[in-house]
Amino acid sequence: MEITVIFYLLLFTVAFLYASVGHGGASGYLALMAIYGFAPDLMKPTALLLNIFVSLTAFIQFYRGRHFNWKIFLPLALASIPFAFLGGIMSIDATLYKKILGLLLLIPIARFFFLTKTGEEEKQLPNIVWSLLLGAMIGFLSGLIGIGGGIILSPILLLLRWTDQKQTAAISALFIFVNSLSGLSGQLTKGIHFSSDMLLMVIIAFAGGLLGAWFGSLKFRHEILKFTLASVLTLAAFKLLFTTA
């Protein structure tokens, strides 16, 4: 496994773009690490740790823009946090892990390539039962795979018309933050390992997230970056689903 300058440039881009829509970027970090041949037991804690820094940065920016809604967030988070911890405790076969991650990467690919719905239509009142069920399901997957769950939650919030684009970003950012903390805590109970380049990765991801969150909280169009990231995710998903290396 050799980390190159291109890896760090892509890492910065991933953090920038994901933070601009209120995400921590774990699915993007996992995709990059899959392409560069990181081991699954290294990928999960690394992605969650990067998620914590970037998602908190994104949340602060969107919260300052008055886009956050506690009533929608709380039931989702209350259900997701314990299940993210449970998922973090569990171990999963490396081959199965790669297949599940490959399938999950199809969600942000579809979002970046095809989902143009902004949630500006008339909003619907959230359903508390559905909120709890969604929170539990997404939380478990978050801890198990090493993501914050924003790539799953965001399109659901928009499609259900519970939030608009900015509200979705704000809620997803804090949702990702608490799930990442919970999932990483679960993994700590059985011991985790980080790359020797972890500090540099955190600095680069944090810088990209800080800049992306600032731009994202404003009116910023980034179609070229979206296409670039979606292409990287597609390559990673193909490698995870259809190759054995």
Side-chain angles (χ1 to χ4, degrees), residues 58-68 70 170:
F59 169 69
I60 291 172
Q61 291 292 344
F62 282 99
Y63 184 83
R64 290 173 62 188
R66 301 179 183 273
H67 300 298
F68 190 73
W70 283 105

Side-chain angles (χ1 to χ4, degrees), residues 1 3 8 194-202:
M1 178 188 66
I3 299 180
Y8 289 119
F194 291 111
S195 166
S196 58
D197 301 293
M198 190 70 241
L199 179 59
L200 181 57
M201 292 170 67
V202 167

Side-chain angles (χ1 to χ4, degrees), residues 172-237:
S172 293
L174 190 57
F175 184 82
I176 291 165
F177 177 75
V178 298
N179 279 335
S180 297
L181 278 177
S182 182
L184 190 59
S185 298
Q187 291 184 32
L188 282 170
T189 63
K190 58 181 183 178
I192 56 177
H193 303 283
F194 291 111
S195 166
S196 58
D197 301 293
M198 190 70 241
L199 179 59
L200 181 57
M201 292 170 67
V202 167
I203 292 172
I204 290 174
F206 181 76
L210 187 65
L211 190 60
W214 183 75
F215 275 106
S217 63
L218 306 173
K219 293 187 178 298
F220 176 63
R221 300 181 65 84
H222 38 253
E223 281 74 12
I224 294 177
L225 284 177
K226 285 169 63 176
F227 180 83
T228 301
L229 179 55
S231 299
V232 171
L233 294 177
T234 301
L235 175 62

Side-chain angles (χ1 to χ4, degrees), residues 134-145:
L134 285 171
M137 178 192 70
I138 297 172
F140 180 75
L141 280 174
S142 298
L144 184 67
I145 303 301

Side-chain angles (χ1 to χ4, degrees), residues 21 25 45 50-51 62 117 167 170 209 222:
V21 292
L50 293 174
N51 239 17
F62 282 99
K117 185 174 183 150
Q167 289 172 332
H222 38 253

